[in-house]
Amino acid sequence: MLFVAMIGATLTAAAYWPGLMTWDSMREYREGLSGDIDDWHPPVVEWLWGRLAQIVPGPAPMLVLQLALYWGGLVLLAAQVRRAGRPDVGCGLLACGFLPLALALTGAILKDSLMAGALLVATGLLAVRLRGGGGWASVVAILLLLFAATLRFNAFCACLPLTIALLPRRWWRTWPRLVLTSIVATAALMAAMPIANRLIGAKPSGVELSLVIFDLGGITEHSGIDVFPRQLVVADPVRVNRRCYRPDKWDSYSDWVDPVCPLGFTAWNAHVAPAGVKPYPFWLHAVFAHPVAYAEHRLTHFAINTRLVPLADSVERPVQVEGPPNDWGYHVTPNRVLHAIDALTVASAHTPLGWPILWIALALGAVVVGWGRQEAGLVVPLAVSSLLYGCGYLVFSVAVELRYHLWTELAALLATMLVAGEWRHVPRRRLALAYLPAAIVLVVGTAFRL
C-alpha cells in the first residue's frame, strides 16, 4: 500500500513541482513571508507557510505537506480496513486517491487540498480508534479536525460528524445527548478559526462582506425590493443591482472589477462601515424579511455550484494548469504527466463525475446503506461529513469553483467504496431507496444539459 501511495504522490509532485501557485496562494505566501497577515485567506496557512519558508523557500514545503497528509491518510485508512479482514476494500480505498480532480488539486497550493488531507488523516485515525486503538488516536484526530476548521469558515460542516464519532460513545448514544454534543462540538469547531486568527494577530479584512453583499444582491434581484443599507445613496438601486448581480459568484461586487459596482465593497467601506452597520445582523434581518427571495437566490446559486445545471461560463476550467506570474519566479514547468492529469480532470469534470450534486446524493446513499450495519461507525461519519459539507454550500457559498467540493467528492467516494462490498447483503428495496436520489440527479442534470 505504501508503494502505491508513493506512486500517487510522485505522479502529482512530478507534474506540479514545486507546487502550482494561484492568485490566492501568492497572497498567502507574501503575507506569510512578511508577517503582515490579514484574515482574507486563512491566517493559519500564512503563518505555517511563513515558518516553512524559513527552512525551504517557495511552494515546495506546502506541496510536500499536502501530499503527505493526503496519501498518508489514505494509507492509514486503507490499512485499517485491510486489517479488519477486507483487503479488497482496502485496496479500493487507496485507489480512490487517484481521482483525477484530487490529483490535480493536491498539486496546487490550496487550503481545500490541505483541509482534505487533514480530514483524511483524521478519518484514518477514526478507523484506528474503532479497531481498538488507544485514546491517542482520538486526541490526534480531534486536533487535526480543529486544524481543518481553521482553514475554511464552513469547514465545521465537514469536521462535525467525524468529531462526534471520535468522542466517547456515551456522549452521543441517545438522541438528546447527540443533540447536545453536536451543539457543543459545532461551537468549538466554529470558534477554532477566530481564536487562531486572534492568536496569530491577523488583521480584519472585511472578508465576511463577500457573503453579505452577495446575498443582499440576490434578495434584491429576486424580490425587486432594495435591501441594501440606506447609507448607499444610489438612484434606482434595484436597476443598478441588476447590472451587478450574477447568480454564480460575488466577484462583480468586489473592489477589483471595472467598473466598480456602486453597491459593492468600495461603497460599503466608504459609506456603510463608518455608520457602524454590523454586516451579519443586517444580513440576517434581510434574510428573515424576504425568505422567499433569499431561498430563490440560494437555490439558484446552489444548483450552479453543484453543477445540477451547467455553468453559463463555458470557458471556466475545473482546475488550473498554470499559475500567474509571481515576484519570486516560482512556476510549474509543462510536462507530459501534468498534461495527462489535467486532461483526465477536465474530461471527467464534463461528465456526471464532475457534478458535486451527484456525490452529495451518493453520500446520502452510503448513509442509508451503512446505517445500522457493522461498518456504520466509519461509513456514517464519513458519508455525513461529505453530505453536510456539500449541502453547507447552500448557505455558505459565494462562488462555484470545483475545488470547493474536493472533500465532498472524496469522502463520498470513500464511503461508497466502504459499503460497496456489502451491497449483496443489503435488501434490494433499501438499495433502491438509497440510490434513488443519485438516479434522480442523473436524470435532472442530463435534462438540463439537453
Side-chain angles (χ1 to χ4, degrees), residues 370-409:
W371 194 274
R373 301 192 64 82
Q374 183 177 357
E375 67 276 9
L378 184 58
V379 170
V380 172
L382 185 58
V384 174
S385 175
S386 169
L387 188 63
L388 283 183
Y389 187 62
C391 290
Y393 282 98
L394 182 60
V395 177
F396 306 110
S397 176
V398 295
V400 296
E401 293 179 48
L402 206 54
R403 65 183 174 94
Y404 302 149
H405 298 281
L406 174 60
W407 176 247
T408 296
E409 297 194 8

Side-chain angles (χ1 to χ4, degrees), residues 248-249 301 304-305 307 311 316 397-402 404:
D248 57 338
K249 54 187 175 182
H301 176 76
I304 301 171
N305 190 351
R307 308 306 193 268
L311 288 176
E316 183 169 332
S397 176
V398 295
V400 296
E401 293 179 48
L402 206 54
Y404 302 149

Side-chain angles (χ1 to χ4, degrees), residues 283-299:
W283 167 72
L284 283 173
H285 179 269
V287 169
F288 285 118
H290 304 275
V292 175
Y294 173 74
E296 290 175 342
H297 154 67
R298 272 287 142 199
L299 287 170

Side-chain angles (χ1 to χ4, degrees), residues 18-283:
L20 194 153
M21 295 184 72
T22 65
W23 287 110
D24 288 357
S25 52
M26 284 169 51
R27 176 170 175 166
E28 290 166 356
Y29 185 58
R30 182 177 292 109
E31 294 193 4
L33 290 178
S34 68
D36 185 16
I37 296 173
D38 64 32
D39 64 358
W40 188 273
H41 296 294
V44 165
V45 172
E46 297 172 346
W47 180 88
L48 176 61
W49 204 346
R51 307 288 83 70
L52 292 175
Q54 294 175 4
I55 304 171
V56 178
M62 290 296 288
L63 176 64
V64 171
L65 176 60
Q66 287 181 180
L67 292 176
L69 289 173
Y70 178 79
W71 287 105
L74 282 170
V75 167
L76 183 59
L77 176 60
Q80 293 304 310
V81 172
R82 185 175 183 178
R83 289 171 188 167
R86 305 176 69 192
D88 53 339
V89 176
C91 292
L93 291 172
L94 196 56
C96 292
F98 291 90
L99 181 72
L101 179 68
L103 289 178
L105 290 179
T106 52
I109 311 304
L110 297 167
K111 57 191 174 186
D112 309 273
S113 303
L114 188 61
M115 187 188 87
L119 291 170
L120 276 174
V121 177
T123 303
L125 290 170
L126 172 59
V128 171
R129 153 80 189 284
L130 293 172
R131 291 197 68 247
W136 66 270
S138 294
V139 173
V140 175
I142 289 175
L143 289 175
L144 280 168
L145 291 171
L146 288 170
F147 169 69
T150 67
L151 301 179
R152 291 197 67 90
F153 75 98
N154 59 335
F156 71 92
C157 297
C159 299
L160 179 61
L162 297 171
T163 301
I164 293 174
L166 286 159
L167 295 173
R169 183 176 178 80
R170 65 180 181 276
W171 291 16
W172 50 267
R173 64 185 174 189
T174 65
W175 284 108
R177 292 185 181 186
L178 176 61
V179 171
L180 180 59
T181 300
S182 298
I183 293 173
V184 174
T186 299
L189 291 167
M190 292 182 70
M193 176 177 273
I195 290 175
N197 294 357
R198 188 175 184 86
L199 291 174
I200 291 170
K203 297 179 294 187
S205 64
V207 64
E208 69 278 2
L209 289 180
S210 56
L211 177 65
V212 171
I213 295 177
F214 181 54
D215 282 352
L216 294 179
I219 294 170
T220 299
E221 172 70 15
H222 287 277
S223 68
I225 300 171
D226 172 31
V227 297
F228 284 91
R230 58 178 176 79
Q231 287 83 2
L232 297 175
V233 183
V234 177
D236 199 353
V238 174
R239 181 184 59 81
V240 170
N241 180 69
R242 190 169 295 118
R243 174 178 63 81
C244 298
Y245 177 71
R246 288 184 53 176
D248 57 338
K249 54 187 175 182
W250 73 280
D251 295 59
S252 52
Y253 294 102
S254 69
D255 53 12
W256 57 73
V257 296
D258 186 23
V260 172
C261 176
L263 300 169
F265 259 67
T266 301
W268 187 291
N269 289 327
H271 304 292
V272 181
V277 176
K278 302 298 182 183
Y280 284 138
F282 190 90
W283 167 72

Side-chain angles (χ1 to χ4, degrees), residues 436-447:
L436 178 61
I440 293 173
V441 163
L442 282 172
V443 172
V444 174
T446 301

